[in-house]
Amino acid sequence: MAIHYEQKNRIFTLQTAHTAYQMKVDAYGFLLHLHYGGWAEGNMDYLLANYERGFCSNPADARKDRSYSLDVLPQEYPAFGMGDYRSSALVLRNADESECCDLRYASHSIYKGKYALKGLPAVYAQEDEAETLEIMLEDAANGVHVRLLYGVLEDDDVITRSAVICNQGNGKVVVEKAASACLDFLHGDYEMVSFYGRHAMERNFQRTEIRHGNYSIGSRRTASSHQYNPGVVVAQKGASEDAGSCYGLLFVYSGNFLCEAEKDQLNQTRILMGLQSDLFHYPLGPGEELYIPETVLSYSATGFAKLSNQFHHCIRRHICRGRYTHQPRPVLVNSWEASYFSFDGEAIYRLAGQAAALGLDLVVMDDGWFGKRENDHSSLGDWQANEEKLGCTLGELASRINKLGLKFGIWIEPEMVSEDSRLYREHPDWALQIPGRSPVYCRDQLVLDFSRPDVRDSIFEQVCAVLDQGNIEYVKWDMNRSLSDLYSQAPGSFPGKLSYDYVAGVYDFLERLLERYPYLFIEGCSGGGGRFDAGMLYYTPQIWCSDNTDAADRIRIQYGTSFFYPASTVGSHVSAVPNHQTGRSISLHTRGIVAMAGTFGYELDFGTLGDAQKEEIRRQVAQYKKFADLIQHGYYYRLSNPFEDGYGAWMFVSKNKKHVLVNVVLLEVHGNMTVTYVRLKGLSPHAVYADAATGTCYYGSALMEAGIPMPVEKEEYAAYQIELRKC
Ligand code: GLA
């Protein structure tokens, strides 16, 4: 039993293989948090140390007990208005415009299996892999019920949290803020590791001490964003890859989010993960409910490496779905950096022919195949193949490519519309715009109102008509701007709910698409990694990691990405040199090794390469396929911090620790260069490992404790890939 309820003291304990989570319903019915961290047993309500604190308010039923204040007590779901002045998990505006919610325990249930969230992505599990705890909290005054959901995946050391807010009262309430997880720590000094960035430079590593005051990251773009990823690590001060306590919070959502950290007056720390409160005012009429997207929690007592692997496993096995969940991903070539908008059907066919000869599996025709799209100023919304440009129908192109032994895929951007399109001319009201104002543009495009079922239905029909034309097995689903002009022309719509309903609409569309085409493989994209999140991974088990394909930058981008997301989700390609984003020229060998830290592919015109390079690519593809299972399903270890160290290094270890792939790229070269030693991780210390290329044998312990020296070479970005096999 992963979930235990102790009736006498009203204590809930959730246990996983190595962690424990405990909470208590106190004498007044408030749900207090007691512990989350390493495995522990027994009642821990002795931790609650109540003292009278000045200016700490008391709820009415505790007015005679001045030592009782929600302002300092650790809580599971702190709602604003009851005397807790720290950041709240829930802020409700009542029918009389007051902002207050008094949530008390009403009931609970425990059942086998993992709860699901209506219309939202969430961790899924078999009946015997998970248990669920639902705790019902109620506000007697406004009739609001909050159902707190806890999913426990015992073997995986994962606990998920979500909340459903339901208006059972007679008046309207407005949800002004709602989180799915709150973690209150009674003591300790913590740091927050978060991942910030920009287009073409996503998920840079940042570590900040959590100090007094409120520190937050989030998004107001109705996409999880390039700028801040909705995954954070809360680490004990000084925790490292291999030591120290750390907690991961991963929001399974692709829209606006808010993650807050606050150290309070008593040096207690509160972490909240949930929906962004800015731009959010969600009205709930009597009987209506709102699902708050899920947060996945995991804890490691021994540093980041273990935490990352717990999240990797959870994402691979319990978030990603579909045909390729357990199969190696196809090695693809994408036409974007090969030809941008300038191609015809023959060019795509030629690319496919070359790809087939080099051993690839899939050719993707990127932007430019539909409407009159010759640049990014037109045709979004007109999802009909430009047969004049292609010289044939989509179906014919797909079948010619299939005959080469290759799969065929296309790019789409269903959420968008160009003003220069038939769709916009016919339905200008389908684009998000505020009446009486000029819209805000980005990439010269507007956003379709995906909160509206009629808009979604129309695009759905168009997309299905495209997919029905032939054997299209892959779709790259792009989203190339942030939302603005949050105003829907649909009757009864309300701006404060638009962002949430838009994302729900995107999810609804994707779910319908997968229901209709269960074998379709969708790769997510938003100008690269602008919507790289666990919500999208539920529908698109692979996401184009960044529009930056420069190998040196990619090492850093993929380093940040690896903290939560497994290599099987990371779209990563070898592109041409000089690189189109940075102008840097890095050897094909190094570019190959860097792209092999994800789902491998190419983004260049093979026709421009000489025979020797083609031969090298043939070898790279074969090499990747040999390691695909290890890379996509093995343990992953970061062996350096490329933001600080002069090299990037990472490794994959098979589940049985017998097969190992070490990757190293030297980022600096100097005169009279010092030797770089790379210490390995995750091996069996007493086992002997042989270098598959040289036959040299090493003890696992030696490789982990003393490391392995890299050659000193007079070459920028020299890279090494070392395969080890347990003897
Ligand atoms: C975005 C994507 C690119 C490419 C272009 C096409 O920027 O990230 O990979 O598909 O759109 O317009």
Side-chain angles (χ1 to χ4, degrees), residues 323-324 327-333 351-352 354-364 401-402 404-409 471 473-474 521 599-602 606 621-622 624-625 628 632:
R323 177 181 178 186
Y324 286 103
Q327 278 178 35
R329 305 290 163 82
V331 176
L332 66 87
V333 61
L351 191 65
Q354 289 156 345
L358 297 172
L360 280 78
D361 306 309
L362 165 70
V363 66
V364 179
I401 287 172
N402 285 168
L404 295 168
L406 231 62
K407 298 181 198 304
F408 177 61
N471 189 22
E473 294 179 73
Y474 163 106
F521 183 42
T599 61
F600 193 61
Y602 291 82
F606 298 120
V621 173
Y624 182 74
K625 289 191 170 180
Q632 293 176 18

mmCIF file of all heavy atoms in Angstrom, residues 323-324 327-333 351-352 354-364 401-402 404-409 471 473-474 521 599-602 606 621-622 624-625 628 632:
data_model
loop_
_atom_site.group_PDB
_atom_site.id
_atom_site.type_symbol
_atom_site.label_atom_id
_atom_site.label_comp_id
_atom_site.label_asym_id
_atom_site.label_seq_id
_atom_site.Cartn_x
_atom_site.Cartn_y
_atom_site.Cartn_z
ATOM 1 N N ARG A 323 2.925 4.798 -30.711
ATOM 2 C CA ARG A 323 3.682 3.777 -31.405
ATOM 3 C C ARG A 323 5.175 3.740 -31.033
ATOM 4 O O ARG A 323 5.788 2.694 -30.948
ATOM 5 C CB ARG A 323 3.507 4.105 -32.881
ATOM 6 C CG ARG A 323 4.219 3.286 -33.857
ATOM 7 C CD ARG A 323 3.880 3.871 -35.226
ATOM 8 N NE ARG A 323 4.564 3.176 -36.280
ATOM 9 C CZ ARG A 323 4.538 3.559 -37.551
ATOM 10 N NH1 ARG A 323 3.852 4.629 -37.898
ATOM 11 N NH2 ARG A 323 5.179 2.880 -38.457
ATOM 12 N N TYR A 324 5.769 4.921 -30.821
ATOM 13 C CA TYR A 324 7.215 4.939 -30.601
ATOM 14 C C TYR A 324 7.605 5.011 -29.129
ATOM 15 O O TYR A 324 8.756 5.254 -28.814
ATOM 16 C CB TYR A 324 7.841 6.101 -31.366
ATOM 17 C CG TYR A 324 7.892 5.832 -32.856
ATOM 18 C CD1 TYR A 324 6.987 6.424 -33.717
ATOM 19 C CD2 TYR A 324 8.824 4.945 -33.384
ATOM 20 C CE1 TYR A 324 7.016 6.156 -35.075
ATOM 21 C CE2 TYR A 324 8.864 4.666 -34.739
ATOM 22 C CZ TYR A 324 7.953 5.273 -35.573
ATOM 23 O OH TYR A 324 7.989 4.998 -36.913
ATOM 24 N N GLN A 327 9.751 2.031 -28.962
ATOM 25 C CA GLN A 327 10.553 1.694 -30.156
ATOM 26 C C GLN A 327 11.535 2.803 -30.464
ATOM 27 O O GLN A 327 11.234 3.969 -30.225
ATOM 28 C CB GLN A 327 9.627 1.604 -31.365
ATOM 29 C CG GLN A 327 8.915 0.281 -31.505
ATOM 30 C CD GLN A 327 7.996 0.336 -32.718
ATOM 31 O OE1 GLN A 327 8.317 0.963 -33.709
ATOM 32 N NE2 GLN A 327 6.857 -0.299 -32.605
ATOM 33 N N PRO A 328 12.683 2.474 -31.070
ATOM 34 C CA PRO A 328 13.604 3.543 -31.472
ATOM 35 C C PRO A 328 12.918 4.494 -32.447
ATOM 36 O O PRO A 328 12.132 4.081 -33.296
ATOM 37 C CB PRO A 328 14.742 2.801 -32.161
ATOM 38 C CG PRO A 328 14.613 1.389 -31.760
ATOM 39 C CD PRO A 328 13.188 1.145 -31.380
ATOM 40 N N ARG A 329 13.194 5.761 -32.290
ATOM 41 C CA ARG A 329 12.583 6.775 -33.154
ATOM 42 C C ARG A 329 13.215 6.738 -34.551
ATOM 43 O O ARG A 329 14.410 6.458 -34.685
ATOM 44 C CB ARG A 329 12.786 8.170 -32.558
ATOM 45 C CG ARG A 329 12.286 8.310 -31.136
ATOM 46 C CD ARG A 329 10.757 8.261 -31.085
ATOM 47 N NE ARG A 329 10.282 7.989 -29.741
ATOM 48 C CZ ARG A 329 10.151 8.907 -28.794
ATOM 49 N NH1 ARG A 329 10.485 10.147 -29.020
ATOM 50 N NH2 ARG A 329 9.690 8.569 -27.620
ATOM 51 N N PRO A 330 12.435 7.054 -35.585
ATOM 52 C CA PRO A 330 13.006 7.057 -36.935
ATOM 53 C C PRO A 330 14.081 8.141 -37.086
ATOM 54 O O PRO A 330 13.939 9.237 -36.559
ATOM 55 C CB PRO A 330 11.794 7.360 -37.830
ATOM 56 C CG PRO A 330 10.756 7.931 -36.928
ATOM 57 C CD PRO A 330 11.018 7.417 -35.558
ATOM 58 N N VAL A 331 15.140 7.816 -37.812
ATOM 59 C CA VAL A 331 16.183 8.814 -38.121
ATOM 60 C C VAL A 331 15.685 9.595 -39.333
ATOM 61 O O VAL A 331 15.361 9.016 -40.370
ATOM 62 C CB VAL A 331 17.525 8.122 -38.427
ATOM 63 C CG1 VAL A 331 18.572 9.153 -38.848
ATOM 64 C CG2 VAL A 331 18.004 7.341 -37.199
ATOM 65 N N LEU A 332 15.604 10.908 -39.187
ATOM 66 C CA LEU A 332 14.935 11.685 -40.236
ATOM 67 C C LEU A 332 15.836 12.753 -40.841
ATOM 68 O O LEU A 332 16.827 13.166 -40.250
ATOM 69 C CB LEU A 332 13.666 12.324 -39.677
ATOM 70 C CG LEU A 332 13.787 13.391 -38.595
ATOM 71 C CD1 LEU A 332 13.968 14.787 -39.197
ATOM 72 C CD2 LEU A 332 12.518 13.398 -37.740
ATOM 73 N N VAL A 333 15.453 13.180 -42.038
ATOM 74 C CA VAL A 333 16.034 14.397 -42.601
ATOM 75 C C VAL A 333 14.884 15.376 -42.798
ATOM 76 O O VAL A 333 13.820 15.009 -43.286
ATOM 77 C CB VAL A 333 16.802 14.142 -43.911
ATOM 78 C CG1 VAL A 333 15.919 13.576 -45.016
ATOM 79 C CG2 VAL A 333 17.464 15.439 -44.391
ATOM 80 N N LEU A 351 15.935 14.512 -52.019
ATOM 81 C CA LEU A 351 16.413 14.454 -50.629
ATOM 82 C C LEU A 351 16.096 13.078 -50.042
ATOM 83 O O LEU A 351 16.924 12.458 -49.349
ATOM 84 C CB LEU A 351 15.730 15.556 -49.806
ATOM 85 C CG LEU A 351 16.263 15.827 -48.408
ATOM 86 C CD1 LEU A 351 17.695 16.370 -48.465
ATOM 87 C CD2 LEU A 351 15.375 16.838 -47.659
ATOM 88 N N ALA A 352 14.909 12.597 -50.357
ATOM 89 C CA ALA A 352 14.494 11.282 -49.850
ATOM 90 C C ALA A 352 15.390 10.185 -50.437
ATOM 91 O O ALA A 352 15.806 9.260 -49.719
ATOM 92 C CB ALA A 352 13.038 11.023 -50.209
ATOM 93 N N GLN A 354 18.465 10.423 -51.445
ATOM 94 C CA GLN A 354 19.780 10.457 -50.792
ATOM 95 C C GLN A 354 19.679 9.914 -49.371
ATOM 96 O O GLN A 354 20.556 9.169 -48.908
ATOM 97 C CB GLN A 354 20.298 11.898 -50.769
ATOM 98 C CG GLN A 354 20.695 12.393 -52.145
ATOM 99 C CD GLN A 354 20.635 13.918 -52.244
ATOM 100 O OE1 GLN A 354 20.046 14.596 -51.397
ATOM 101 N NE2 GLN A 354 21.236 14.450 -53.295
ATOM 102 N N ALA A 355 18.596 10.277 -48.699
ATOM 103 C CA ALA A 355 18.408 9.799 -47.325
ATOM 104 C C ALA A 355 18.320 8.278 -47.299
ATOM 105 O O ALA A 355 18.914 7.617 -46.429
ATOM 106 C CB ALA A 355 17.151 10.416 -46.724
ATOM 107 N N ALA A 356 17.594 7.728 -48.263
ATOM 108 C CA ALA A 356 17.448 6.265 -48.306
ATOM 109 C C ALA A 356 18.819 5.620 -48.512
ATOM 110 O O ALA A 356 19.169 4.640 -47.839
ATOM 111 C CB ALA A 356 16.488 5.872 -49.425
ATOM 112 N N ALA A 357 19.623 6.213 -49.396
ATOM 113 C CA ALA A 357 20.937 5.630 -49.679
ATOM 114 C C ALA A 357 21.850 5.704 -48.459
ATOM 115 O O ALA A 357 22.769 4.906 -48.309
ATOM 116 C CB ALA A 357 21.574 6.366 -50.851
ATOM 117 N N LEU A 358 21.592 6.668 -47.581
ATOM 118 C CA LEU A 358 22.456 6.837 -46.405
ATOM 119 C C LEU A 358 21.928 6.085 -45.184
ATOM 120 O O LEU A 358 22.526 6.142 -44.116
ATOM 121 C CB LEU A 358 22.597 8.329 -46.079
ATOM 122 C CG LEU A 358 23.275 9.164 -47.180
ATOM 123 C CD1 LEU A 358 23.202 10.652 -46.866
ATOM 124 C CD2 LEU A 358 24.726 8.734 -47.359
ATOM 125 N N GLY A 359 20.787 5.435 -45.335
ATOM 126 C CA GLY A 359 20.273 4.599 -44.246
ATOM 127 C C GLY A 359 19.262 5.263 -43.342
ATOM 128 O O GLY A 359 18.926 4.739 -42.282
ATOM 129 N N LEU A 360 18.754 6.461 -43.724
ATOM 130 C CA LEU A 360 17.758 7.128 -42.878
ATOM 131 C C LEU A 360 16.389 6.466 -43.037
ATOM 132 O O LEU A 360 16.187 5.638 -43.931
ATOM 133 C CB LEU A 360 17.660 8.616 -43.246
ATOM 134 C CG LEU A 360 18.746 9.519 -42.652
ATOM 135 C CD1 LEU A 360 20.045 9.391 -43.413
ATOM 136 C CD2 LEU A 360 18.299 10.977 -42.646
ATOM 137 N N ASP A 361 15.439 6.891 -42.194
ATOM 138 C CA ASP A 361 14.122 6.245 -42.184
ATOM 139 C C ASP A 361 12.991 7.135 -42.678
ATOM 140 O O ASP A 361 11.929 6.641 -43.042
ATOM 141 C CB ASP A 361 13.754 5.840 -40.740
ATOM 142 C CG ASP A 361 14.821 4.993 -40.104
ATOM 143 O OD1 ASP A 361 15.219 3.999 -40.731
ATOM 144 O OD2 ASP A 361 15.267 5.343 -38.994
ATOM 145 N N LEU A 362 13.177 8.453 -42.615
ATOM 146 C CA LEU A 362 12.036 9.344 -42.794
ATOM 147 C C LEU A 362 12.485 10.664 -43.410
ATOM 148 O O LEU A 362 13.524 11.204 -43.021
ATOM 149 C CB LEU A 362 11.437 9.602 -41.392
ATOM 150 C CG LEU A 362 10.462 10.727 -41.167
ATOM 151 C CD1 LEU A 362 9.123 10.448 -41.833
ATOM 152 C CD2 LEU A 362 10.218 10.923 -39.654
ATOM 153 N N VAL A 363 11.702 11.168 -44.365
ATOM 154 C CA VAL A 363 11.967 12.507 -44.886
ATOM 155 C C VAL A 363 10.792 13.405 -44.512
ATOM 156 O O VAL A 363 9.634 13.005 -44.623
ATOM 157 C CB VAL A 363 12.224 12.494 -46.410
ATOM 158 C CG1 VAL A 363 10.995 12.087 -47.203
ATOM 159 C CG2 VAL A 363 12.696 13.864 -46.900
ATOM 160 N N VAL A 364 11.118 14.607 -44.029
ATOM 161 C CA VAL A 364 10.075 15.541 -43.601
ATOM 162 C C VAL A 364 10.097 16.773 -44.503
ATOM 163 O O VAL A 364 11.126 17.429 -44.649
ATOM 164 C CB VAL A 364 10.307 15.982 -42.136
ATOM 165 C CG1 VAL A 364 9.228 16.969 -41.706
ATOM 166 C CG2 VAL A 364 10.347 14.784 -41.218
ATOM 167 N N ILE A 401 7.956 8.352 -52.376
ATOM 168 C CA ILE A 401 8.976 8.293 -51.312
ATOM 169 C C ILE A 401 8.921 6.948 -50.590
ATOM 170 O O ILE A 401 9.957 6.339 -50.296
ATOM 171 C CB ILE A 401 8.793 9.495 -50.356
ATOM 172 C CG1 ILE A 401 9.268 10.758 -51.082
ATOM 173 C CG2 ILE A 401 9.540 9.294 -49.047
ATOM 174 C CD1 ILE A 401 8.988 12.061 -50.378
ATOM 175 N N ASN A 402 7.731 6.480 -50.344
ATOM 176 C CA ASN A 402 7.591 5.158 -49.706
ATOM 177 C C ASN A 402 8.264 4.075 -50.534
ATOM 178 O O ASN A 402 8.846 3.129 -49.996
ATOM 179 C CB ASN A 402 6.116 4.800 -49.508
ATOM 180 C CG ASN A 402 5.470 5.575 -48.364
ATOM 181 O OD1 ASN A 402 4.262 5.576 -48.205
ATOM 182 N ND2 ASN A 402 6.280 6.247 -47.555
ATOM 183 N N LEU A 404 10.885 4.290 -52.086
ATOM 184 C CA LEU A 404 12.335 4.307 -51.833
ATOM 185 C C LEU A 404 12.666 3.599 -50.515
ATOM 186 O O LEU A 404 13.824 3.512 -50.113
ATOM 187 C CB LEU A 404 12.821 5.759 -51.733
ATOM 188 C CG LEU A 404 12.715 6.637 -52.979
ATOM 189 C CD1 LEU A 404 12.948 8.103 -52.611
ATOM 190 C CD2 LEU A 404 13.734 6.190 -54.018
ATOM 191 N N GLY A 405 11.613 3.181 -49.810
ATOM 192 C CA GLY A 405 11.823 2.522 -48.515
ATOM 193 C C GLY A 405 11.841 3.530 -47.373
ATOM 194 O O GLY A 405 12.314 3.244 -46.277
ATOM 195 N N LEU A 406 11.329 4.728 -47.634
ATOM 196 C CA LEU A 406 11.377 5.793 -46.637
ATOM 197 C C LEU A 406 9.971 6.202 -46.203
ATOM 198 O O LEU A 406 9.040 6.181 -47.007
ATOM 199 C CB LEU A 406 12.046 7.022 -47.280
ATOM 200 C CG LEU A 406 13.202 7.626 -46.485
ATOM 201 C CD1 LEU A 406 14.319 6.618 -46.346
ATOM 202 C CD2 LEU A 406 13.722 8.879 -47.161
ATOM 203 N N LYS A 407 9.840 6.602 -44.957
ATOM 204 C CA LYS A 407 8.568 7.164 -44.494
ATOM 205 C C LYS A 407 8.517 8.633 -44.899
ATOM 206 O O LYS A 407 9.561 9.269 -45.117
ATOM 207 C CB LYS A 407 8.464 7.070 -42.979
ATOM 208 C CG LYS A 407 8.481 5.666 -42.434
ATOM 209 C CD LYS A 407 8.350 5.729 -40.917
ATOM 210 C CE LYS A 407 8.777 4.445 -40.246
ATOM 211 N NZ LYS A 407 8.080 3.258 -40.718
ATOM 212 N N PHE A 408 7.297 9.168 -44.918
ATOM 213 C CA PHE A 408 7.122 10.552 -45.340
ATOM 214 C C PHE A 408 6.380 11.335 -44.262
ATOM 215 O O PHE A 408 5.421 10.841 -43.658
ATOM 216 C CB PHE A 408 6.327 10.577 -46.657
ATOM 217 C CG PHE A 408 6.009 11.955 -47.153
ATOM 218 C CD1 PHE A 408 7.014 12.855 -47.478
ATOM 219 C CD2 PHE A 408 4.687 12.363 -47.310
ATOM 220 C CE1 PHE A 408 6.721 14.135 -47.940
ATOM 221 C CE2 PHE A 408 4.379 13.643 -47.781
ATOM 222 C CZ PHE A 408 5.406 14.527 -48.089
ATOM 223 N N GLY A 409 6.846 12.569 -44.011
ATOM 224 C CA GLY A 409 6.182 13.406 -43.020
ATOM 225 C C GLY A 409 6.099 14.853 -43.480
ATOM 226 O O GLY A 409 6.824 15.270 -44.384
ATOM 227 N N ASN A 471 0.107 8.193 -47.455
ATOM 228 C CA ASN A 471 0.722 7.576 -46.287
ATOM 229 C C ASN A 471 1.656 8.567 -45.586
ATOM 230 O O ASN A 471 2.874 8.514 -45.753
ATOM 231 C CB ASN A 471 1.478 6.322 -46.755
ATOM 232 C CG ASN A 471 1.958 5.511 -45.577
ATOM 233 O OD1 ASN A 471 1.409 5.630 -44.475
ATOM 234 N ND2 ASN A 471 2.987 4.722 -45.788
ATOM 235 N N GLU A 473 3.156 9.575 -42.257
ATOM 236 C CA GLU A 473 3.314 8.874 -40.977
ATOM 237 C C GLU A 473 3.830 9.763 -39.861
ATOM 238 O O GLU A 473 3.939 9.334 -38.713
ATOM 239 C CB GLU A 473 4.263 7.684 -41.158
ATOM 240 C CG GLU A 473 3.682 6.620 -42.060
ATOM 241 C CD GLU A 473 4.620 5.449 -42.253
ATOM 242 O OE1 GLU A 473 4.785 4.666 -41.318
ATOM 243 O OE2 GLU A 473 5.195 5.328 -43.351
ATOM 244 N N TYR A 474 4.214 10.981 -40.226
ATOM 245 C CA TYR A 474 4.836 11.879 -39.245
ATOM 246 C C TYR A 474 4.353 13.296 -39.512
ATOM 247 O O TYR A 474 4.180 13.700 -40.667
ATOM 248 C CB TYR A 474 6.352 11.787 -39.410
ATOM 249 C CG TYR A 474 7.169 12.899 -38.784
ATOM 250 C CD1 TYR A 474 7.911 12.684 -37.622
ATOM 251 C CD2 TYR A 474 7.242 14.157 -39.375
ATOM 252 C CE1 TYR A 474 8.692 13.695 -37.068
ATOM 253 C CE2 TYR A 474 8.010 15.175 -38.831
ATOM 254 C CZ TYR A 474 8.733 14.940 -37.675
ATOM 255 O OH TYR A 474 9.506 15.931 -37.123
ATOM 256 N N PHE A 521 2.936 9.792 -35.914
ATOM 257 C CA PHE A 521 3.986 10.206 -34.984
ATOM 258 C C PHE A 521 4.109 11.721 -35.087
ATOM 259 O O PHE A 521 4.438 12.256 -36.144
ATOM 260 C CB PHE A 521 5.288 9.513 -35.377
ATOM 261 C CG PHE A 521 6.429 9.813 -34.454
ATOM 262 C CD1 PHE A 521 6.248 9.845 -33.087
ATOM 263 C CD2 PHE A 521 7.699 10.044 -34.965
ATOM 264 C CE1 PHE A 521 7.300 10.115 -32.232
ATOM 265 C CE2 PHE A 521 8.762 10.313 -34.117
ATOM 266 C CZ PHE A 521 8.561 10.352 -32.752
ATOM 267 N N THR A 599 17.037 12.500 -30.451
ATOM 268 C CA THR A 599 16.537 11.656 -31.537
ATOM 269 C C THR A 599 17.214 12.165 -32.795
ATOM 270 O O THR A 599 17.003 13.289 -33.205
ATOM 271 C CB THR A 599 15.020 11.780 -31.673
ATOM 272 O OG1 THR A 599 14.713 13.121 -31.977
ATOM 273 C CG2 THR A 599 14.329 11.383 -30.393
ATOM 274 N N PHE A 600 18.009 11.356 -33.345
ATOM 275 C CA PHE A 600 18.982 11.764 -34.351
ATOM 276 C C PHE A 600 18.328 12.087 -35.693
ATOM 277 O O PHE A 600 17.310 11.495 -36.061
ATOM 278 C CB PHE A 600 19.943 10.595 -34.511
ATOM 279 C CG PHE A 600 21.182 10.897 -35.264
ATOM 280 C CD1 PHE A 600 22.069 11.855 -34.812
ATOM 281 C CD2 PHE A 600 21.489 10.208 -36.423
ATOM 282 C CE1 PHE A 600 23.237 12.114 -35.498
ATOM 283 C CE2 PHE A 600 22.654 10.451 -37.111
ATOM 284 C CZ PHE A 600 23.526 11.409 -36.656
ATOM 285 N N GLY A 601 18.935 13.019 -36.420
ATOM 286 C CA GLY A 601 18.466 13.311 -37.769
ATOM 287 C C GLY A 601 19.364 14.331 -38.426
ATOM 288 O O GLY A 601 20.399 14.734 -37.873
ATOM 289 N N TYR A 602 18.953 14.753 -39.593
ATOM 290 C CA TYR A 602 19.730 15.728 -40.375
ATOM 291 C C TYR A 602 18.827 16.860 -40.809
ATOM 292 O O TYR A 602 17.605 16.707 -40.945
ATOM 293 C CB TYR A 602 20.373 15.037 -41.590
ATOM 294 C CG TYR A 602 21.457 14.071 -41.163
ATOM 295 C CD1 TYR A 602 21.132 12.777 -40.741
ATOM 296 C CD2 TYR A 602 22.781 14.467 -41.116
ATOM 297 C CE1 TYR A 602 22.103 11.910 -40.295
ATOM 298 C CE2 TYR A 602 23.769 13.599 -40.669
ATOM 299 C CZ TYR A 602 23.428 12.323 -40.264
ATOM 300 O OH TYR A 602 24.400 11.473 -39.810
ATOM 301 N N PHE A 606 21.854 16.844 -48.548
ATOM 302 C CA PHE A 606 22.939 15.878 -48.766
ATOM 303 C C PHE A 606 23.624 16.110 -50.115
ATOM 304 O O PHE A 606 24.777 15.748 -50.308
ATOM 305 C CB PHE A 606 22.399 14.442 -48.727
ATOM 306 C CG PHE A 606 21.796 14.065 -47.403
ATOM 307 C CD1 PHE A 606 20.465 13.676 -47.313
ATOM 308 C CD2 PHE A 606 22.555 14.075 -46.245
ATOM 309 C CE1 PHE A 606 19.903 13.312 -46.106
ATOM 310 C CE2 PHE A 606 22.006 13.707 -45.022
ATOM 311 C CZ PHE A 606 20.671 13.324 -44.952
ATOM 312 N N VAL A 621 24.816 7.257 -39.198
ATOM 313 C CA VAL A 621 23.448 6.728 -39.082
ATOM 314 C C VAL A 621 23.504 5.302 -38.523
ATOM 315 O O VAL A 621 22.743 4.939 -37.610
ATOM 316 C CB VAL A 621 22.712 6.786 -40.436
ATOM 317 C CG1 VAL A 621 21.360 6.092 -40.354
ATOM 318 C CG2 VAL A 621 22.543 8.233 -40.892
ATOM 319 N N ALA A 622 24.439 4.521 -39.063
ATOM 320 C CA ALA A 622 24.560 3.134 -38.586
ATOM 321 C C ALA A 622 24.946 3.124 -37.109
ATOM 322 O O ALA A 622 24.424 2.338 -36.308
ATOM 323 C CB ALA A 622 25.606 2.400 -39.427
ATOM 324 N N TYR A 624 24.339 5.470 -34.878
ATOM 325 C CA TYR A 624 23.203 5.891 -34.055
ATOM 326 C C TYR A 624 22.225 4.738 -33.876
ATOM 327 O O TYR A 624 21.730 4.484 -32.779
ATOM 328 C CB TYR A 624 22.477 7.102 -34.655
ATOM 329 C CG TYR A 624 21.351 7.535 -33.752
ATOM 330 C CD1 TYR A 624 21.620 8.207 -32.568
ATOM 331 C CD2 TYR A 624 20.032 7.207 -34.033
ATOM 332 C CE1 TYR A 624 20.606 8.562 -31.696
ATOM 333 C CE2 TYR A 624 19.008 7.565 -33.162
ATOM 334 C CZ TYR A 624 19.303 8.242 -31.996
ATOM 335 O OH TYR A 624 18.299 8.582 -31.122
ATOM 336 N N LYS A 625 21.969 4.044 -34.977
ATOM 337 C CA LYS A 625 20.987 2.951 -34.882
ATOM 338 C C LYS A 625 21.478 1.858 -33.939
ATOM 339 O O LYS A 625 20.697 1.238 -33.225
ATOM 340 C CB LYS A 625 20.691 2.407 -36.272
ATOM 341 C CG LYS A 625 19.877 3.405 -37.085
ATOM 342 C CD LYS A 625 19.345 2.825 -38.348
ATOM 343 C CE LYS A 625 18.355 3.812 -38.967
ATOM 344 N NZ LYS A 625 17.779 3.330 -40.208
ATOM 345 N N ALA A 628 20.717 3.341 -30.562
ATOM 346 C CA ALA A 628 19.429 4.030 -30.365
ATOM 347 C C ALA A 628 18.730 3.591 -29.078
ATOM 348 O O ALA A 628 18.233 4.423 -28.305
ATOM 349 C CB ALA A 628 18.529 3.807 -31.572
ATOM 350 N N GLN A 632 18.009 6.141 -26.100
ATOM 351 C CA GLN A 632 16.623 6.526 -25.855
ATOM 352 C C GLN A 632 16.040 5.925 -24.576
ATOM 353 O O GLN A 632 15.089 6.466 -24.013
ATOM 354 C CB GLN A 632 15.762 6.169 -27.071
ATOM 355 C CG GLN A 632 16.153 7.039 -28.277
ATOM 356 C CD GLN A 632 15.413 6.674 -29.554
ATOM 357 O OE1 GLN A 632 14.390 6.014 -29.524
ATOM 358 N NE2 GLN A 632 15.952 7.109 -30.679
#
